[in-house]
mmCIF file of all heavy atoms in Angstrom:
data_model
loop_
_atom_site.group_PDB
_atom_site.id
_atom_site.type_symbol
_atom_site.label_atom_id
_atom_site.label_comp_id
_atom_site.label_asym_id
_atom_site.label_seq_id
_atom_site.Cartn_x
_atom_site.Cartn_y
_atom_site.Cartn_z
ATOM 1 N N GLY A 1 94.920 97.960 94.574
ATOM 2 C CA GLY A 1 93.698 98.013 93.749
ATOM 3 C C GLY A 1 92.711 97.026 94.162
ATOM 4 O O GLY A 1 91.510 97.168 93.684
ATOM 5 N N THR A 2 92.995 95.979 94.897
ATOM 6 C CA THR A 2 92.084 94.954 95.335
ATOM 7 C C THR A 2 91.904 95.013 96.826
ATOM 8 O O THR A 2 90.816 95.228 97.358
ATOM 9 C CB THR A 2 92.480 93.576 94.858
ATOM 10 O OG1 THR A 2 92.579 93.650 93.409
ATOM 11 C CG2 THR A 2 91.408 92.529 95.222
ATOM 12 N N LEU A 3 93.016 94.774 97.599
ATOM 13 C CA LEU A 3 92.950 94.823 99.010
ATOM 14 C C LEU A 3 93.076 96.295 99.508
ATOM 15 O O LEU A 3 92.311 96.735 100.384
ATOM 16 C CB LEU A 3 94.083 93.994 99.621
ATOM 17 C CG LEU A 3 94.029 93.836 101.154
ATOM 18 C CD1 LEU A 3 93.095 92.698 101.517
ATOM 19 C CD2 LEU A 3 95.487 93.598 101.706
ATOM 20 N N LEU A 4 94.103 96.971 98.913
ATOM 21 C CA LEU A 4 94.350 98.336 99.292
ATOM 22 C C LEU A 4 94.206 99.297 98.099
ATOM 23 O O LEU A 4 94.379 98.846 96.940
ATOM 24 C CB LEU A 4 95.788 98.473 99.836
ATOM 25 C CG LEU A 4 96.177 97.512 101.031
ATOM 26 C CD1 LEU A 4 97.669 97.716 101.331
ATOM 27 C CD2 LEU A 4 95.284 97.798 102.205
ATOM 28 N N GLN A 5 93.962 100.579 98.393
ATOM 29 C CA GLN A 5 93.972 101.559 97.333
ATOM 30 C C GLN A 5 95.354 101.547 96.671
ATOM 31 O O GLN A 5 96.371 101.458 97.293
ATOM 32 C CB GLN A 5 93.597 102.950 97.871
ATOM 33 C CG GLN A 5 92.129 103.037 98.314
ATOM 34 C CD GLN A 5 91.757 104.369 98.864
ATOM 35 O OE1 GLN A 5 92.520 105.372 98.651
ATOM 36 N NE2 GLN A 5 90.661 104.446 99.533
ATOM 37 N N ASN A 6 95.335 101.730 95.366
ATOM 38 C CA ASN A 6 96.574 101.604 94.572
ATOM 39 C C ASN A 6 97.309 102.887 94.656
ATOM 40 O O ASN A 6 97.004 103.961 94.176
ATOM 41 C CB ASN A 6 96.275 101.289 93.138
ATOM 42 C CG ASN A 6 97.489 100.900 92.348
ATOM 43 O OD1 ASN A 6 98.601 100.935 92.887
ATOM 44 N ND2 ASN A 6 97.311 100.533 91.105
ATOM 45 N N VAL A 7 98.459 102.871 95.437
ATOM 46 C CA VAL A 7 99.428 103.992 95.474
ATOM 47 C C VAL A 7 100.747 103.424 94.976
ATOM 48 O O VAL A 7 101.348 102.583 95.596
ATOM 49 C CB VAL A 7 99.540 104.496 96.917
ATOM 50 C CG1 VAL A 7 100.567 105.648 96.910
ATOM 51 C CG2 VAL A 7 98.194 104.973 97.450
ATOM 52 N N ALA A 8 101.245 103.912 93.867
ATOM 53 C CA ALA A 8 102.398 103.388 93.193
ATOM 54 C C ALA A 8 103.612 103.443 94.111
ATOM 55 O O ALA A 8 103.868 104.442 94.754
ATOM 56 C CB ALA A 8 102.726 104.131 91.905
ATOM 57 N N CYS A 9 104.331 102.296 94.234
ATOM 58 C CA CYS A 9 105.576 102.244 95.006
ATOM 59 C C CYS A 9 105.438 102.812 96.408
ATOM 60 O O CYS A 9 106.261 103.483 96.912
ATOM 61 C CB CYS A 9 106.707 102.923 94.294
ATOM 62 S SG CYS A 9 107.041 102.320 92.611
ATOM 63 N N ASN A 10 104.327 102.506 97.076
ATOM 64 C CA ASN A 10 104.015 103.098 98.377
ATOM 65 C C ASN A 10 104.890 102.418 99.483
ATOM 66 O O ASN A 10 104.919 101.228 99.648
ATOM 67 C CB ASN A 10 102.534 102.832 98.758
ATOM 68 C CG ASN A 10 102.182 103.528 100.089
ATOM 69 O OD1 ASN A 10 102.764 104.588 100.305
ATOM 70 N ND2 ASN A 10 101.275 102.955 100.784
ATOM 71 N N GLY A 11 105.583 103.308 100.195
ATOM 72 C CA GLY A 11 106.310 102.921 101.349
ATOM 73 C C GLY A 11 105.845 103.696 102.626
ATOM 74 O O GLY A 11 106.506 103.617 103.657
ATOM 75 N N ASP A 12 104.738 104.414 102.503
ATOM 76 C CA ASP A 12 104.224 105.280 103.590
ATOM 77 C C ASP A 12 103.014 104.668 104.227
ATOM 78 O O ASP A 12 101.915 104.589 103.534
ATOM 79 C CB ASP A 12 103.922 106.640 102.965
ATOM 80 C CG ASP A 12 103.440 107.672 104.084
ATOM 81 O OD1 ASP A 12 103.330 107.275 105.243
ATOM 82 O OD2 ASP A 12 103.217 108.819 103.732
ATOM 83 N N PRO A 13 103.042 104.251 105.477
ATOM 84 C CA PRO A 13 101.788 103.621 106.052
ATOM 85 C C PRO A 13 100.645 104.607 106.114
ATOM 86 O O PRO A 13 99.490 104.153 106.204
ATOM 87 C CB PRO A 13 102.282 103.192 107.416
ATOM 88 C CG PRO A 13 103.510 104.055 107.705
ATOM 89 C CD PRO A 13 104.131 104.268 106.387
ATOM 90 N N ALA A 14 100.911 105.888 106.129
ATOM 91 C CA ALA A 14 99.832 106.846 106.131
ATOM 92 C C ALA A 14 98.984 106.813 104.901
ATOM 93 O O ALA A 14 97.860 107.306 104.845
ATOM 94 C CB ALA A 14 100.330 108.233 106.375
ATOM 95 N N MET A 15 99.555 106.238 103.818
ATOM 96 C CA MET A 15 98.808 106.204 102.556
ATOM 97 C C MET A 15 98.137 104.820 102.365
ATOM 98 O O MET A 15 97.639 104.557 101.281
ATOM 99 C CB MET A 15 99.830 106.350 101.421
ATOM 100 C CG MET A 15 100.505 107.705 101.422
ATOM 101 S SD MET A 15 99.325 109.088 101.101
ATOM 102 C CE MET A 15 98.953 108.793 99.331
ATOM 103 N N VAL A 16 98.034 104.005 103.437
ATOM 104 C CA VAL A 16 97.448 102.732 103.302
ATOM 105 C C VAL A 16 95.915 102.845 103.651
ATOM 106 O O VAL A 16 95.569 103.242 104.802
ATOM 107 C CB VAL A 16 98.047 101.738 104.265
ATOM 108 C CG1 VAL A 16 97.283 100.358 104.374
ATOM 109 C CG2 VAL A 16 99.508 101.481 103.915
ATOM 110 N N HIS A 17 95.106 102.558 102.590
ATOM 111 C CA HIS A 17 93.653 102.631 102.830
ATOM 112 C C HIS A 17 92.988 101.434 102.199
ATOM 113 O O HIS A 17 93.240 101.134 100.982
ATOM 114 C CB HIS A 17 93.105 103.903 102.200
ATOM 115 C CG HIS A 17 93.710 105.170 102.680
ATOM 116 N ND1 HIS A 17 93.412 105.674 103.953
ATOM 117 C CD2 HIS A 17 94.595 106.044 102.102
ATOM 118 C CE1 HIS A 17 94.110 106.785 104.151
ATOM 119 N NE2 HIS A 17 94.826 107.056 103.077
ATOM 120 N N PRO A 18 92.175 100.661 102.953
ATOM 121 C CA PRO A 18 91.557 99.447 102.363
ATOM 122 C C PRO A 18 90.534 99.839 101.331
ATOM 123 O O PRO A 18 89.896 100.912 101.350
ATOM 124 C CB PRO A 18 90.856 98.795 103.584
ATOM 125 C CG PRO A 18 91.535 99.409 104.713
ATOM 126 C CD PRO A 18 91.939 100.780 104.388
ATOM 127 N N MET A 19 90.353 98.881 100.346
ATOM 128 C CA MET A 19 89.354 99.098 99.298
ATOM 129 C C MET A 19 87.981 98.778 99.882
ATOM 130 O O MET A 19 87.870 98.026 100.898
ATOM 131 C CB MET A 19 89.655 98.166 98.141
ATOM 132 C CG MET A 19 90.874 98.490 97.343
ATOM 133 S SD MET A 19 90.773 100.055 96.491
ATOM 134 C CE MET A 19 89.605 99.712 95.170
ATOM 135 N N ALA A 20 86.952 99.382 99.306
ATOM 136 C CA ALA A 20 85.551 99.139 99.798
ATOM 137 C C ALA A 20 85.257 97.636 99.753
ATOM 138 O O ALA A 20 85.554 96.954 98.760
ATOM 139 C CB ALA A 20 84.573 99.925 98.969
ATOM 140 N N GLY A 21 84.645 97.118 100.797
ATOM 141 C CA GLY A 21 84.246 95.724 100.738
ATOM 142 C C GLY A 21 85.175 94.735 101.311
ATOM 143 O O GLY A 21 84.893 93.554 101.505
ATOM 144 N N VAL A 22 86.467 95.205 101.469
ATOM 145 C CA VAL A 22 87.542 94.264 101.908
ATOM 146 C C VAL A 22 87.268 93.760 103.296
ATOM 147 O O VAL A 22 87.483 92.514 103.578
ATOM 148 C CB VAL A 22 88.867 94.928 101.797
ATOM 149 C CG1 VAL A 22 89.956 94.216 102.571
ATOM 150 C CG2 VAL A 22 89.339 95.033 100.358
ATOM 151 N N ARG A 23 86.884 94.593 104.247
ATOM 152 C CA ARG A 23 86.671 94.135 105.634
ATOM 153 C C ARG A 23 85.581 93.055 105.636
ATOM 154 O O ARG A 23 85.746 92.060 106.329
ATOM 155 C CB ARG A 23 86.270 95.282 106.504
ATOM 156 C CG ARG A 23 87.499 96.251 106.809
ATOM 157 C CD ARG A 23 87.029 97.269 107.802
ATOM 158 N NE ARG A 23 88.189 98.121 108.191
ATOM 159 C CZ ARG A 23 88.517 99.294 107.613
ATOM 160 N NH1 ARG A 23 87.730 99.681 106.591
ATOM 161 N NH2 ARG A 23 89.531 100.004 108.000
ATOM 162 N N ASP A 24 84.525 93.266 104.915
ATOM 163 C CA ASP A 24 83.435 92.234 104.912
ATOM 164 C C ASP A 24 83.893 90.984 104.271
ATOM 165 O O ASP A 24 83.630 89.877 104.766
ATOM 166 C CB ASP A 24 82.209 92.797 104.093
ATOM 167 C CG ASP A 24 81.512 93.916 104.867
ATOM 168 O OD1 ASP A 24 81.688 94.073 106.084
ATOM 169 O OD2 ASP A 24 80.743 94.672 104.194
ATOM 170 N N ALA A 25 84.679 91.066 103.205
ATOM 171 C CA ALA A 25 85.198 89.853 102.546
ATOM 172 C C ALA A 25 86.085 89.092 103.548
ATOM 173 O O ALA A 25 85.936 87.856 103.655
ATOM 174 C CB ALA A 25 85.976 90.234 101.284
ATOM 175 N N LEU A 26 87.040 89.741 104.200
ATOM 176 C CA LEU A 26 87.956 89.090 105.100
ATOM 177 C C LEU A 26 87.196 88.418 106.244
ATOM 178 O O LEU A 26 87.510 87.240 106.673
ATOM 179 C CB LEU A 26 89.000 90.007 105.619
ATOM 180 C CG LEU A 26 89.972 90.551 104.597
ATOM 181 C CD1 LEU A 26 90.819 91.642 105.192
ATOM 182 C CD2 LEU A 26 90.869 89.452 104.035
ATOM 183 N N SER A 27 86.192 89.135 106.802
ATOM 184 C CA SER A 27 85.453 88.576 107.892
ATOM 185 C C SER A 27 84.748 87.304 107.464
ATOM 186 O O SER A 27 84.713 86.282 108.211
ATOM 187 C CB SER A 27 84.486 89.595 108.388
ATOM 188 O OG SER A 27 83.615 89.164 109.438
ATOM 189 N N ALA A 28 84.131 87.324 106.320
ATOM 190 C CA ALA A 28 83.343 86.153 105.836
ATOM 191 C C ALA A 28 84.299 85.010 105.594
ATOM 192 O O ALA A 28 83.992 83.821 105.921
ATOM 193 C CB ALA A 28 82.581 86.482 104.573
ATOM 194 N N LEU A 29 85.426 85.214 104.972
ATOM 195 C CA LEU A 29 86.336 84.168 104.630
ATOM 196 C C LEU A 29 87.015 83.564 105.860
ATOM 197 O O LEU A 29 87.130 82.326 106.020
ATOM 198 C CB LEU A 29 87.421 84.727 103.691
ATOM 199 C CG LEU A 29 86.941 85.114 102.281
ATOM 200 C CD1 LEU A 29 88.006 85.846 101.555
ATOM 201 C CD2 LEU A 29 86.460 83.852 101.529
ATOM 202 N N ARG A 30 87.395 84.409 106.823
ATOM 203 C CA ARG A 30 87.941 83.872 108.050
ATOM 204 C C ARG A 30 86.911 83.052 108.811
ATOM 205 O O ARG A 30 87.266 82.034 109.391
ATOM 206 C CB ARG A 30 88.433 85.079 108.938
ATOM 207 C CG ARG A 30 89.706 85.773 108.390
ATOM 208 C CD ARG A 30 89.942 87.057 109.154
ATOM 209 N NE ARG A 30 91.166 87.736 108.735
ATOM 210 C CZ ARG A 30 91.339 89.036 108.679
ATOM 211 N NH1 ARG A 30 90.349 89.866 109.084
ATOM 212 N NH2 ARG A 30 92.452 89.610 108.270
ATOM 213 N N GLY A 31 85.743 83.556 108.875
ATOM 214 C CA GLY A 31 84.656 82.817 109.523
ATOM 215 C C GLY A 31 84.406 81.469 108.954
ATOM 216 O O GLY A 31 83.925 80.574 109.691
ATOM 217 N N ALA A 32 84.652 81.251 107.672
ATOM 218 C CA ALA A 32 84.460 79.996 107.027
ATOM 219 C C ALA A 32 85.713 79.126 107.040
ATOM 220 O O ALA A 32 85.759 78.063 106.455
ATOM 221 C CB ALA A 32 84.083 80.245 105.544
ATOM 222 N N GLY A 33 86.701 79.558 107.735
ATOM 223 C CA GLY A 33 87.907 78.683 107.966
ATOM 224 C C GLY A 33 88.938 78.823 106.869
ATOM 225 O O GLY A 33 89.908 78.008 106.790
ATOM 226 N N PHE A 34 88.926 79.935 106.067
ATOM 227 C CA PHE A 34 89.934 80.146 105.005
ATOM 228 C C PHE A 34 91.144 80.895 105.552
ATOM 229 O O PHE A 34 90.969 81.796 106.386
ATOM 230 C CB PHE A 34 89.323 80.933 103.878
ATOM 231 C CG PHE A 34 88.494 80.213 102.934
ATOM 232 C CD1 PHE A 34 87.115 80.051 103.130
ATOM 233 C CD2 PHE A 34 89.042 79.572 101.779
ATOM 234 C CE1 PHE A 34 86.332 79.344 102.287
ATOM 235 C CE2 PHE A 34 88.266 78.817 100.913
ATOM 236 C CZ PHE A 34 86.906 78.727 101.195
ATOM 237 N N ALA A 35 92.308 80.487 105.178
ATOM 238 C CA ALA A 35 93.466 81.316 105.338
ATOM 239 C C ALA A 35 93.418 82.492 104.309
ATOM 240 O O ALA A 35 92.865 82.249 103.207
ATOM 241 C CB ALA A 35 94.779 80.543 105.140
ATOM 242 N N VAL A 36 93.910 83.632 104.659
ATOM 243 C CA VAL A 36 93.911 84.745 103.693
ATOM 244 C C VAL A 36 95.270 85.283 103.515
ATOM 245 O O VAL A 36 96.089 85.351 104.444
ATOM 246 C CB VAL A 36 92.973 85.887 104.177
ATOM 247 C CG1 VAL A 36 91.507 85.429 104.205
ATOM 248 C CG2 VAL A 36 93.333 86.367 105.650
ATOM 249 N N GLY A 37 95.576 85.620 102.297
ATOM 250 C CA GLY A 37 96.951 86.092 101.992
ATOM 251 C C GLY A 37 96.896 87.177 100.935
ATOM 252 O O GLY A 37 95.786 87.532 100.364
#
C-alpha cells in the first residue's frame, strides 16, 4: 500500500506493481545519501 500495490498474502511476482511516486521518492532519497528499506 506504500511501496507496492496491496495484494493480500502475495507470493506471485507477476502481481508486484509499485505505487505511484515510489520511483521518484527512491531516486531522491538515494541521491541524498539515504539507505532505503
Side-chain angles (χ1 to χ4, degrees):
T2 302
L3 187 84
L4 306 175
Q5 292 180 14
N6 191 356
V7 179
C9 301
N10 184 33
D12 182 359
M15 299 294 289
V16 174
H17 303 288
M19 295 293 291
V22 164
R23 288 187 176 90
D24 289 342
L26 292 174
S27 177
L29 293 168
R30 289 170 179 146
F34 282 88
V36 293

